[in-house]
Amino acid sequence: MIHMIKLCVGIASVEELESYRDERAHWWDADYGEDVHVHRTRMMPKRRAEMEGVSSIYWVIAGAVACRQPILRLAPYTNAEGKNYCDIIMAPTLVRTVPYPKRPFQGWRYLRPEDAPPDLEAGANENSAELAAELARMGLI
C-alpha cells in the first residue's frame, strides 16, 4: 500500500475544502456519483493497483498536511483535445490529521504509510488542530 500527498492549491483551511468538495466533479464534467469528491490531475500513478480502495490522499493546506481523504479509485480521463488525465475519486469524508509541516512541491507525490501523519482523535476541534500544528512546528510531535 502507498498513499498520495498533494498541495491543496487555493484553499486556506480544511473548512474551505469541505465547503465545496462536492462541486469539483461538476466543474470537469465528471459524473462518478453523488457521494464522491473528484480531483483531476495530469499523471496516473504507476502504483495505482496499490492505492485503489486502500490508500488516502493527504492534503497539504497552508504549508502543512492537514487532512486526508480515502481514495476509492483512480480513473483515466481524456478531454476533447485528446489530453489524458487521472481523476482521483475519493470518499467525501475529510479526516483531520496531526498537522505536519510540508514545503511546496509540484504535482503529487507518493507517501509511505510510515511517513503519513496520524489522524487527530475523534472529537478534535479547530483549537486542537491549531495546538497540534504549533507543537509540530516546534518539533514536539
Side-chain angles (χ1 to χ4, degrees):
M1 175 179 56
I2 192 83
H3 296 295
M4 180 183 282
I5 187 167
K6 183 151 180 36
L7 296 181
C8 200
V9 178
I11 299 295
S13 67
V14 174
E15 291 75 23
E16 187 176 346
L17 179 59
E18 286 176 327
S19 73
Y20 72 88
R21 64 183 165 203
D22 297 329
E23 296 174 20
R24 286 190 163 190
H26 305 294
W27 293 348
W28 292 314
D29 295 326
D31 185 13
Y32 296 106
E34 292 301 316
D35 293 331
V36 296
H37 178 187
V38 178
H39 180 78
R40 183 164 292 156
T41 189
R42 184 74 177 101
M43 302 301 291
M44 175 68 74
K46 289 181 177 21
R47 298 175 73 175
R48 173 183 180 182
E50 294 177 62
M51 301 172 78
E52 292 182 308
V54 294
S55 296
S56 291
I57 184 166
Y58 284 76
W59 291 111
V60 178
I61 299 173
V65 177
C67 63
R68 67 177 180 85
Q69 282 182 276
I71 296 172
L72 302 175
R73 70 183 206 273
L74 301 164
Y77 176 85
T78 304
N79 70 8
E81 292 81 37
K83 196 169 190 177
N84 294 323
Y85 293 91
C86 170
D87 281 355
I88 305 167
I89 304 156
M90 301 164 283
T93 307
L94 291 170
V95 179
R96 288 182 181 270
T97 64
V98 171
Y100 184 80
K102 186 72 176 167
R103 291 180 176 215
F105 56 93
Q106 285 285 322
W108 56 264
R109 299 285 185 265
Y110 291 118
L111 179 65
R112 296 181 319 186
E114 60 269 21
D115 295 333
D119 295 347
L120 277 178
E121 292 181 21
N125 60 25
E126 179 96 13
N127 292 335
S128 335
E130 287 177 18
L131 177 60
E134 186 58 31
L135 291 171
R137 276 191 286 279
M138 295 168 60
L140 298 173
I141 59 172

